[in-house]
Amino acid sequence: DDVFVSSTNAYDEAMNHLGRELENGRLVRLLAKLGTINERPEFDGDPNWSETEHRYTLKLFRDYVFHQVDAQGNPVLDLGHIISCLNKLDAGTEEKIYLTSRDHQSTFLVTYRELKKQIHSAFGDLQKGNTKQ
Amino acid sequence: MDGDWDEVARIPFPPPGLRALPTPVTRLAFDVTQELLWTGNEYGRVTSFYGAKLQQYTSFKAHTSQDGGVLQILFNDKGVIVLGARSVHMRTRRGIPLWSIRHDDMKELRCMSFTSKGTSEILVAGEQEKMLVIDTVKGEVTKQVSTEHKYKIMRRSSRNICAATPSGSVHIIDSINFQVLKIWTAHTAAINDMDAQHDFIVTCGYSLRQQGNYMPDPFVNVFDLKNMTSMSPIPFPAGAAYVRMHPRMSTTSIVMSQIGQMHVVDLMNPNTSNVRQANSLSYFSMIEIAPSGEAVALADGDCSIHLWGSPTKIHFTEFMRPVETADTVAAVPRLDFDSWDTPLSSVGMPYYREVLLSAWPGNMITEIGLPPVKIDPQILATLQERDWGFYGKNTRQVRRNQVEDVRGNESPQSTLKHPKFLSERARELAKSPAGTPAPE
C-alpha cells in the first residue's frame, strides 16, 4: 500500500516538474529563430531591412522586448515581459503594440500576427540561403 | 465657414532628428476615413496627427532622403499611398508597409490621381516622358502611357483627371484611356495651386511682370467641366496663392493669400465672401481642407501647422472611423532573472489555433559531437594576451564565424583509404568548393 502511494506521489511530482519546464524548449527555439535573423551582416545592404522597408519593424521589436527602460532611462529587466511578448509572438495574436525607433522619428502600430509573418519569411530566406542576391 | 471658426490648434512640425532644425512641411493631406492629418517632410518621412489637438500618431519613411520630399499622399480603405520623385509607396495607416515600387521610368514624378477604377488604380505623372498606371491592390505597374506633356499637379474630378502643367495650362484627361480631351490656359506664367471638385476646376497662378518677377494673379480662375468652358474669374485683390473647393458645398471655395488672408467664396455669387485672417510671422506655403469641410490645415514657413475650424464641432471626416491604438497589455507577473523557482511556463500562452512560430523545421540535419576547432598556434602567436583573452588582427583564412570542417583534419583521407558508399561519393561531389559549407 505504501509503495503504491509513494509511487503515485513520485509520478505526480514528475508531472509537476514536467509541467513547469514544458515551455522552455519552445521558448528556446523561438529565441534561436530571432537570434539567427537579427543583425546579420549579410542583411546589411539588403533594402528589405532598411528604414523604409518592411523588415525594419523586426529590429524595433527586438528593442521593444529586450531593451525596456523606465522613466529615468534605466534598463528594466523583467523576464515576465520578455516571455509574455515571446508567447504572443509565438501564437501571433491580434494585439497591437507601439514600436518606436531609437531616434524617436518612426512610430509604428503592429500586431503580433504581422511580426510573426515577417519573422517567418525572414527565417525562410535564411533556410533557402538566398540572402546575398 | 461658420461664424465661430478660429485657429483651434497650432503645432510645430517635428524636425527630422533629435537635435536637427525643423524643416517646412512639403505635403498636407486629410485622411478620408479616420480623424488623421497626414504630413510629409523633405526627407521622405510621413507623419500622421490625430484629432483636433493634432497628437502625433504614426510616422515612417516612405523613401530615402536622397529621393527628396514627399510630393503627394492619397488614401484608400487599405492605407495611404505616398509619392516621391522616384518611387511610389503604400502603407497601412498603422505604418505597416504594403508595397513599394521603384521603377526605371520613375525619374521626376510630381503628382498622381485615382483613375476611373475607383481607388484600386492610380495614374502617376511628372516632369518626364512617361506616365505610369499602378494597380494599388497588387502594387505593380500595369501600364505605361507616353506623353509629351509634363504635369505638376493632378486632381480627379467627377469624370476626368485634371492635370496642371508647369507652364500655366490645365489638361483635362480622360480617366479611362488617359487621352487629353481639352487644354485650358489658366495662367500666363505658372499655376501655383489647383483643385477640382464636382464640375469645377479652380486655379491660382502667376504672371510675369515687367520687372521680370512673378506676381500672384489677383484672381482665381474657374473652369466649368459640365459645359467645358471657362467662367469669369473670381477677384482676389490680395493675390490668390492657394485654393480649395469645399467638399460638401459644391460651388464654394476657400482662397488664401500668402500672408494668410482667407476668403470663403461662392463661385456662383462671388460678391458675398467671408473673410478670415490666419496669423504667422512668415508666409503660408499650403492649405488643405478636410473631407468633412469642417477643418482646414495650413502650413507656414516657420514650420508650424495651423488647424482651423469651429472649436466646438471640428472633425475631419464624415463617418469618423475610430483610429486604431495599441492594446492595453494585461498585467504580466513580473519575473526577475534570478528567481529560479518561478517556472517560465507561469506566464502562460495566449489562445492560439495556428502553427506556432517556434515550430522548428523538421527537415534540418545537424551534426553534433564534433571535436572543437583547433586554433593554429602560429596565428595565436600574433595575438596579444590580456587577462580576458587574446586579441589582435584576424589573419585566419576563413570567413567570420565560418563553420569549419573539423572532421576532415581529424582523419586525413590520404593515410586511410577505405572504400566509399555510392551515397558518400555523391555527397562529396555535391560538396561545394572550400570556403562555403556543404548544402546540407
Side-chain angles (χ1 to χ4, degrees), chain B residues 32-336:
Chain B
V32 290
T33 58
Q34 298 182 0
E35 291 288 291
L36 296 171
L37 173 67
W38 293 81
T39 59
N41 78 0
E42 55 190 83
Y43 302 98
R45 177 170 294 284
V46 174
T47 308
S48 56
F49 298 92
Y50 169 70
K53 291 203 176 81
L54 297 179
Q55 296 164 295
Q56 191 172 330
Y57 179 56
T58 51
S59 173
F60 55 84
K61 269 193 111 153
H63 50 258
T64 55
S65 307
Q66 291 90 4
D67 284 357
V70 173
L71 296 169
Q72 199 179 342
I73 304 173
L74 286 178
F75 305 93
N76 68 13
D77 275 358
K78 292 273 180 294
V80 293
I81 304 165
V82 183
L83 182 80
R86 309 194 58 189
S87 64
V88 187
H89 189 86
M90 182 167 181
R91 293 222 184 194
T92 67
R93 290 172 171 82
R94 292 186 283 115
I96 314 301
L98 295 174
W99 49 260
S100 183
I101 304 177
R102 289 185 67 89
H103 196 276
D104 290 341
D105 287 319
M106 294 179 174
K107 296 187 182 87
E108 289 293 335
L109 297 181
R110 291 287 175 271
C111 52
M112 59 182 173
S113 161
F114 288 119
T115 66
S116 56
K117 294 185 186 155
T119 59
S120 66
E121 189 180 82
I122 53 170
L123 174 72
V124 298
E127 303 193 21
Q128 57 176 42
E129 266 76 62
K130 284 214 175 96
M131 300 197 283
L132 295 99
V133 182
I134 294 171
D135 182 326
T136 62
V137 181
K138 295 195 194 113
E140 54 194 35
V141 176
T142 52
K143 200 159 79 172
Q144 300 194 24
V145 185
S146 298
T147 173
E148 65 243 58
H149 307 290
K150 294 175 174 176
Y151 298 116
K152 54 176 237 181
I153 311 173
M154 266 188 180
R155 291 280 183 272
R156 186 173 64 163
S157 73
S158 47
R159 266 165 289 201
N160 306 307
I161 296 171
C162 310
T165 67
S167 58
S169 54
V170 175
H171 291 192
I172 294 152
I173 299 173
D174 188 305
S175 60
I176 297 166
N177 59 17
F178 312 119
Q179 297 302 308
V180 178
L181 300 176
K182 186 171 171 68
I183 296 177
W184 170 46
T185 309
H187 297 269
T188 51
I191 288 182
N192 190 43
D193 201 7
M194 175 181 80
D195 198 15
Q197 183 94 36
H198 307 293
D199 293 323
F200 298 103
I201 310 175
V202 284
T203 60
C204 294
Y206 294 95
S207 46
L208 197 58
R209 293 296 160 88
Q210 290 112 344
Q211 299 89 350
N213 49 2
Y214 291 97
M215 286 285 292
D217 285 327
F219 50 81
V220 173
N221 268 325
V222 187
F223 189 83
D224 181 348
L225 280 166
K226 204 186 273 170
N227 305 316
M228 284 292 189
T229 53
S230 59
M231 292 167 51
S232 55
I234 293 166
F236 190 85
Y242 313 103
V243 64
R244 282 291 174 272
M245 292 293 297
H246 194 288
R248 292 207 281 185
M249 293 187 268
S250 57
T251 61
T252 301
S253 68
I254 295 184
V255 191
M256 189 174 75
S257 73
Q258 282 184 326
I259 54 163
Q261 199 183 102
M262 280 189 280
H263 285 207
V264 182
V265 202
D266 187 340
L267 300 181
M268 294 302 160
N269 192 4
N271 294 324
T272 57
S273 72
N274 191 333
V275 184
R276 284 284 186 290
Q277 177 68 43
N279 294 312
S280 167
L281 292 175
S282 77
Y283 288 105
F284 284 90
S285 57
M286 213 171 294
I287 184 171
E288 201 58 64
I289 188 162
S292 65
E294 297 290 335
V296 165
L298 314 171
D300 68 19
D302 287 338
C303 311
S304 300
I305 300 169
H306 307 230
L307 185 69
W308 276 70
S310 150
T312 49
K313 53 184 186 197
I314 182 168
H315 61 98
F316 300 167
T317 54
E318 281 177 79
F319 315 102
M320 285 178 269
R321 237 195 270 169
V323 164
E324 297 173 275
T325 53
D327 295 301
T328 37
V329 182
V332 173
R334 202 195 145 94
L335 293 188
D336 282 322

